[in-house]
């Protein structure tokens, strides 16, 4: 037996067969092999987080030195701006109360009120062209579980970033919008806008573009036209901004295509928000859907604001970014774009 | 190898592997040269296999491959157009990289340190060329290929800049493996290569 294992060729063939079987089994949806990474995540994630924190501290330290004068000047400007904003907040608060009254009276629903929004920080980025998913620091411990279906991921301005692929205890893998495996049904953001398909593309990825297909033959897309998620397919709620049309190619009149520049720049993004349908996270008691869970250590991205009554980001709640802040909890029925996470990706 | 040496080897390998993998995926934006991220994981596996033999190459390759799968494992699109996160592609590729680095030009290069750079160039060329070929074939067969990179792009904007970035990553790693470990004086004593022990004395920078 020992002599058998001294044969390098045999060992290589056996190992290859074993690894190929492992790959094949792991690619089956719902395979128990996808849980193999869970124990790894318990050990590796804290170590990786240490590296991330060290990196952040070093970069903050150098920024503080290099940008000292600039920061001081900016600070003065910001103080003036705060005074103006405080006045606007007062005005806004009155408007909000009026809006709540009208909303109850007219049974208006916010587009994303049926979702809990979990804030997350990007932990790791791509390793090379093929190993190009990103990992964020929320997982099953935070109520994100990919076995219940995938979830939409947005940035602080509610622009589409990607979707959750797999979850571990403390982290999750996100498939970014530019990845060639990513597909989303979209529509032109206008009344009765055409429904199209936005897909990541290998050759356009490096230019930060996606390809738009299934464009109805009678439609001509213009550069600058905005595309939002259509809500078809159930994974992504309708109305999430994706990006704008960059170019339109009608050389094949039966199959016109276009390129789209997403609003989100994946390489610059540091924080993301995961949209979990209320039905999945409600465990007895219902949470206010406008709440955003910010994991410890995560920073609040630009555009996200604290709700009334919150004291600091560390209190774990903040208002939903992008303006979809209020609404009654649990009123999922009849809402436009209410997703069924068991359905497909489009 | 006595117990002390074995412990030193395991500890140093653990520290190297963890650091190399975490640094690459956490600071990929800092490690960018000509638009390509230095592939520290690949370089480390190549050097471990090249300098310290098949056993080290394969074991380090499997562990680094597992980290690669865990951190940023590839997503493939199935025939039903649904993306699937796959585990094991990193394991398989880095297993082969570790093995290949330990056997390729073994007798000609004689594990000389400065030729490690050449080994990194060769393995990078093989890995990235095969990566593009496999990716193209897979996308074509699964019917998910809209367009693919031009040959010019693959050569001048993907493979060559990546090789250059990897060369830059090789230099500090070579010094680290030579002067810090995992083996004293950067030489693995029990390595059976088919040439005399005296030959290995010229394993120096």
């Amino acid at each position: 037996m020992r002599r058998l294992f001294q044969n390098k060729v045999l060992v290589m063939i056996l190992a290859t067969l074993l690894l190929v079987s492992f790959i094949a089994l792991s690619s089956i949806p719902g395979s128990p092999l996808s849980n193999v990474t869970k124990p790894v995540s318990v050990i590796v994630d804290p170590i990786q987080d240490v590296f991330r924190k060290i990196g952040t501290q070093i970069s903050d330290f150098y920024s503080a030195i290099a940008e000292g004068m600039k920061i001081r000047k900016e600070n003065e400007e910001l103080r003036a701006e705060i005074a103006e904003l405080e006045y606007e907040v007062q005005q806004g608060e009155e408007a909000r109360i009026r809006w709540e009254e009208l909303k109850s009276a007219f049974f208006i629903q916010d587009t994303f009120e049926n979702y809990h929004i979990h804030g997350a920080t990007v932990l790791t980025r791509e390793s090379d062209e093929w190993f190009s998913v990103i990992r964020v620091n929320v997982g099953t411990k935070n109520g994100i579980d990919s076995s219940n279906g995938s979830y939409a991921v947005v940035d602080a301005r509610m622009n589409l970033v990607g979707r959750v692929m797999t979850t571990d205890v403390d982290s999750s893998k996100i498939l970014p919008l530019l990845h060639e495996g990513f597909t989303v049904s979209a529509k032109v953001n206008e009344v009765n806008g055409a429904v199209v398909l936005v897909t990541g593309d290998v050759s356009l990825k490096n230019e930060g573009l996606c390809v738009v297909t299934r464009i109805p033959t009678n439609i001509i897309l213009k550069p600058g036209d905005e595309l939002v998620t259509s809500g078809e397919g159930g994974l992504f709620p309708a109305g999430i901004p994706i990006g704008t049309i960059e170019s339109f190619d009608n050389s094949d009149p039966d199959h016109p295509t276009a390129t789209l520049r997403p609003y989100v720049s994946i390489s610059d993004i540091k924080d993301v928000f995961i949209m979990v349908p209320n039905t999945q996270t409600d465990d007895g008691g219902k949470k206010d859907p406008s709440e955003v869970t910010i994991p410890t250590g995560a920073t609040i991205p630009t555009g996200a604001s604290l709700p009334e009554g919150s004291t600091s980001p560390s209190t774990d709640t903040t208002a939903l970014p992008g303006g979809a802040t209020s609404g009654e909890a649990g009123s999922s029925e009849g809402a436009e774009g209410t997703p069924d996470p068991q359905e497909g990706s489009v | 190898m006595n117990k002390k040496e074995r412990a030193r080897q395991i500890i140093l390998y653990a520290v190297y592997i963890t650091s190399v993998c975490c640094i690459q995926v956490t600071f990929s934006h800092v490690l960018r040269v000509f638009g390509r991220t230095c592939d520290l994981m690949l370089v480390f596996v190549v050097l471990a296999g090249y300098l310290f033999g098949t056993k080290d190459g394969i074991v380090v390759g499997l562990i680094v491959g597992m980290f690669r799968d865990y951190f940023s494992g590839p997503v493939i699109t199935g025939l039903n157009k649904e993306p699937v996160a796959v585990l094991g592609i990193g394991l398989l590729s880095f297993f082969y990289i570790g093995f290949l680095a330990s056997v390729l030009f073994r007798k000609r290069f004689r594990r000389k340190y400065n030729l490690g750079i050449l080994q990194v160039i060769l393995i990078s060329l093989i890995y990235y060329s095969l990566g593009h070929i496999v990716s193209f074939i897979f996308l074509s067969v699964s019917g998910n290929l809209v367009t693919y990179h031009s040959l010019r792009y693959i050569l001048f904007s993907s493979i060559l800049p990546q090789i250059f970035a990897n060369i830059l990553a090789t230099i500090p790693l070579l010094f680290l493996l030579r002067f810090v470990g995992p083996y004293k004086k950067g030489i693995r004593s029990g390595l059976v290569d088919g040439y005399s022990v005296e030959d290995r004395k010229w394993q120096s920078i």
Side-chain angles (χ1 to χ4, degrees):
Chain A
M1 191 72 175
R2 200 170 180 178
R3 196 177 289 173
L4 209 68
F5 279 100
Q6 278 172 351
N7 186 339
K8 273 186 188 173
V9 179
L10 188 73
V11 170
M12 290 302 287
I13 292 170
L14 281 176
T16 306
L17 286 174
L18 199 72
L19 289 171
V20 169
S21 324
F22 183 78
I23 294 169
L25 282 174
S26 77
S27 65
I28 299 168
S31 159
L33 280 182
S34 58
N35 295 324
V36 166
T37 53
K38 285 199 166 69
V40 180
S41 78
V42 176
I43 302 162
V44 176
D45 283 346
I47 299 171
Q48 201 272 332
D49 206 36
V50 170
F51 275 87
R52 187 183 62 81
K53 279 176 184 160
I54 292 170
T56 311
Q57 278 181 357
I58 293 170
S59 112
D60 287 352
F61 177 73
Y62 279 103
S63 299
I65 294 170
E67 296 170 12
M69 291 293 283
K70 198 178 144 196
I71 288 168
R72 197 179 294 174
K73 199 180 166 192
E74 205 173 270
N75 199 19
E76 282 170 20
E77 287 169 4
L78 286 173
R79 277 183 198 180
E81 204 176 321
I82 285 169
E84 272 179 46
L85 288 173
E86 272 175 0
Y87 171 72
E88 279 178 33
V89 166
Q90 270 185 336
Q91 300 276 311
E93 184 57 27
E94 279 177 35
R96 189 188 69 81
I97 294 164
R98 180 57 60 90
W99 161 247
E100 289 293 338
E101 288 168 3
L102 286 170
K103 214 176 115 181
S104 329
F106 290 100
F107 304 103
I108 299 168
Q109 285 185 325
D110 285 332
T111 316
F112 306 123
E113 73 177 15
N114 301 303
Y115 290 85
H116 286 311
I117 310 289
H118 288 262
T121 304
V122 174
L123 286 176
T124 68
R125 293 169 193 278
E126 79 283 353
S127 297
D128 65 24
E129 281 176 61
W130 307 287
F131 290 76
S132 54
V133 296
I134 52 180
R135 192 168 267 277
V136 296
N137 69 343
V138 292
T140 46
K141 222 162 82 175
N142 309 87
I144 312 287
D145 191 354
S146 63
S147 59
N148 296 330
S150 189
Y151 306 110
V153 181
V154 294
D155 73 351
R157 294 179 192 279
M158 220 61 197
N159 298 317
L160 190 66
V161 172
R163 59 180 281 190
V164 173
M165 279 308 299
T166 57
T167 46
D168 289 308
V169 181
D170 283 319
S171 59
S172 307
K173 270 184 189 170
I174 309 286
L175 182 71
L177 180 58
L178 293 175
H179 193 283
E180 57 272 19
F182 188 90
T183 307
V184 58
S185 174
K187 75 184 209 43
V188 181
N189 196 16
E190 56 190 40
V191 180
N192 296 324
V195 175
V196 295
L197 194 72
V198 175
T199 317
D201 183 67
V202 179
S203 59
L204 294 172
K205 188 161 65 176
N206 291 313
E207 296 166 52
L209 298 171
C210 295
V211 67
V212 183
T213 54
R214 294 195 199 165
I215 303 168
T217 45
N218 57 338
I219 297 292
I220 293 174
L221 296 174
K222 296 180 291 297
D225 279 353
E226 186 186 47
L227 294 191
V228 296
T229 52
S230 71
E232 285 181 15
L235 172 61
F236 300 98
I240 301 175
I242 305 172
T244 53
I245 294 294
E246 184 96 346
S247 65
F248 179 67
D249 179 11
N250 205 13
S251 54
D252 179 359
D254 293 333
H255 301 99
T257 58
T259 55
L260 173 123
R261 185 167 294 281
Y263 287 127
V264 165
S265 168
I266 303 289
S267 54
D268 298 331
I269 205 161
K270 285 182 180 169
D271 299 287
V272 294
F273 292 84
I274 298 170
M275 301 178 77
V276 182
N278 273 349
T279 46
Q280 281 184 26
T281 48
D282 285 348
D283 44 354
K286 285 179 178 172
K287 284 169 86 177
D288 182 344
S290 66
E291 279 183 4
V292 175
T293 311
I294 301 285
T296 315
T299 51
I300 301 174
T302 320
S305 56
L306 287 168
E308 195 188 6
S310 290
T311 49
S312 78
S314 58
T315 55
D316 281 0
T317 52
T318 185
L320 192 154
T325 53
S326 56
E328 265 124 42
S331 55
S332 63
E333 282 160 35
E336 188 192 348
T338 303
D340 175 0
Q342 303 301 331
E343 285 185 32
S345 68
V346 181
Chain B
M1 195 185 291
N2 60 33
K3 271 187 183 177
K4 203 177 163 187
E5 283 174 338
R6 171 71 71 190
R8 175 191 156 88
Q9 178 206 16
I10 292 169
I11 291 167
L12 277 176
Y13 264 139
V15 171
Y16 286 153
I17 291 171
T18 317
S19 310
V20 157
C21 297
C22 290
I23 287 171
Q24 180 170 342
V25 292
T26 313
F27 307 113
S28 57
H29 54 293
V30 181
L31 296 168
R32 273 189 173 256
V33 184
F34 294 119
R36 296 278 143 184
T37 306
C38 299
D39 203 335
L40 295 176
M41 295 188 201
L42 181 130
V43 172
F44 185 73
V45 174
V46 172
L47 292 180
Y50 171 70
L51 297 172
F52 307 126
T54 308
K55 197 176 158 192
D56 283 35
I58 285 178
V59 173
V60 171
L62 284 172
I63 299 170
V64 171
M66 185 196 71
F67 272 99
R68 192 136 165 147
D69 275 331
Y70 172 72
F71 283 131
S72 46
V75 171
I76 58 167
T77 312
L79 294 170
N80 59 353
K81 306 277 179 191
E82 263 293 289
V84 186
V86 180
L87 289 171
I89 293 181
L91 271 171
L92 185 66
S93 3
F94 279 73
F95 167 74
Y96 273 109
I97 288 169
F99 174 73
L100 207 62
S102 69
V103 294
L104 206 67
F105 298 114
R106 185 181 65 184
K107 287 191 177 164
R108 193 168 290 272
F109 286 5
R110 295 191 178 190
R111 308 196 193 282
K112 202 180 175 195
Y113 271 88
N114 43 14
L115 290 179
I117 294 177
L118 202 58
Q119 192 75 316
V120 168
I121 294 172
L122 283 172
I123 305 273
S124 298
L125 188 67
I126 295 168
Y127 174 73
Y128 291 103
S129 305
L130 277 177
H132 279 293
I133 293 167
V134 171
S135 180
F136 177 77
I137 293 171
F138 186 81
L139 286 169
S140 305
V141 169
S142 61
N144 295 310
L145 186 71
V146 183
T147 51
Y148 200 77
H149 303 299
S150 65
L151 210 61
R152 187 189 163 89
Y153 176 90
I154 291 171
L155 197 63
F156 295 107
S157 302
S158 174
I159 296 178
L160 286 180
Q162 187 63 60
I163 288 176
F164 186 73
N166 288 357
I167 292 171
L168 292 181
T170 307
I171 298 161
L173 285 176
L174 261 181
F175 274 95
L176 204 67
L177 292 172
R178 169 70 180 85
F179 295 108
V180 186
Y183 302 101
K184 274 185 183 169
K185 294 178 183 171
I187 296 170
R188 191 181 164 192
S189 52
L191 205 59
V192 182
D193 270 341
Y195 50 86
S196 68
V197 177
E198 283 72 32
D199 274 352
R200 283 202 297 274
K201 283 181 181 167
W202 59 299
Q203 277 186 329
S204 57
I205 293 172

